[in-house]
Amino acid sequence: MTETPDWFPSQDEPDPMRAAQAGMKPTLPKRFYKEAGVEERDGLFHLTLDGRVARTPGRNALAVPSSALAEAMAREWSGQGDEVDPSTMPITRIVNSAIDGVAARQSEVVDDLVRYAGSDLILYRVSEPARLVQSQDSAWNPILDWARDSHGARFTLAEGVMHVTQPEEAIAAIRAVIEGIRSPFALAALHVMTTLSGSVLIALAHASGRLDTDQAWTAAHVDEVYQESVWGEDFEAMERRRRREADFRAASDVFRLASR
């Protein structure tokens, strides 16, 4: 049996977002395998490296219930060069965190996601300037309409940054939706999307198919895009957002593939 090296996220990190971004060292290890593949065993699809089943940092089998998800991991491993760079393997990192962290702590992850609903990004609006008000309304109101019409969740909007306590019924409705996600892989992916977007409502609307990936990412950055239109773009900020978008898209892929 081969084991994925310990520069991947530890099983001691239950937060899927931190786990998905962790595990990078200044000196990257040399590639220690020639081929990455997938092998089905007992109804699960295992990542294999040179024909040997790979393991997570927590010494669990690196196996998923979806062949498409396993193939996506294999492509990440196959795409490595002379060195193995975990920062270019977001799907594998999310799967690792799901197996080693989320699977045994799903209720904790659910609770964390529900907390986002109490102070969700899209519930806090500006009163001016008019162009930003219109941008927020255009991007965020359809998500609130979806939450209301599909799940009976009616939220209270606020202006500024002062916290507004949301109706218990709305929070309970969102909890029910999240608790309906049984797959630890899909739950880990949802958590990553929520953390990156700052909104569990955006993440859930995307997961449900109400928003595509571009719409979800755009909705999460309405304020930033407006500020850039006023003050100009910052190269470093744009690069950070580009990397975060790649992780968001990877999480979207994991959710979709894990839910098949």
Side-chain angles (χ1 to χ4, degrees), residues 211-227:
L211 304 175
D212 64 24
T213 312
D214 290 337
Q215 291 170 327
W217 190 248
T218 298
H221 295 85
V222 169
D223 292 353
E224 289 183 31
V225 170
Y226 172 78
Q227 292 299 328

Side-chain angles (χ1 to χ4, degrees), residues 51-71:
R52 294 175 294 178
V53 174
R55 289 187 176 273
T56 69
R59 306 300 183 261
N60 295 301
L62 190 48
V64 294
S66 159
S67 61
L69 181 53
E71 292 288 354

Side-chain angles (χ1 to χ4, degrees), residues 109-145:
V109 178
V110 169
D111 288 344
D112 195 42
L113 287 166
V114 172
R115 279 192 286 272
Y116 273 87
S119 56
D120 201 272
L121 166 72
I122 72 173
L123 303 178
Y124 291 83
R125 307 295 181 89
V126 297
S127 57
E128 58 181 22
R131 184 156 61 92
L132 180 55
V133 171
Q134 182 178 7
S135 294
Q136 289 182 342
D137 287 348
S138 296
W140 296 347
N141 286 355
I143 301 171
L144 292 175
D145 292 343

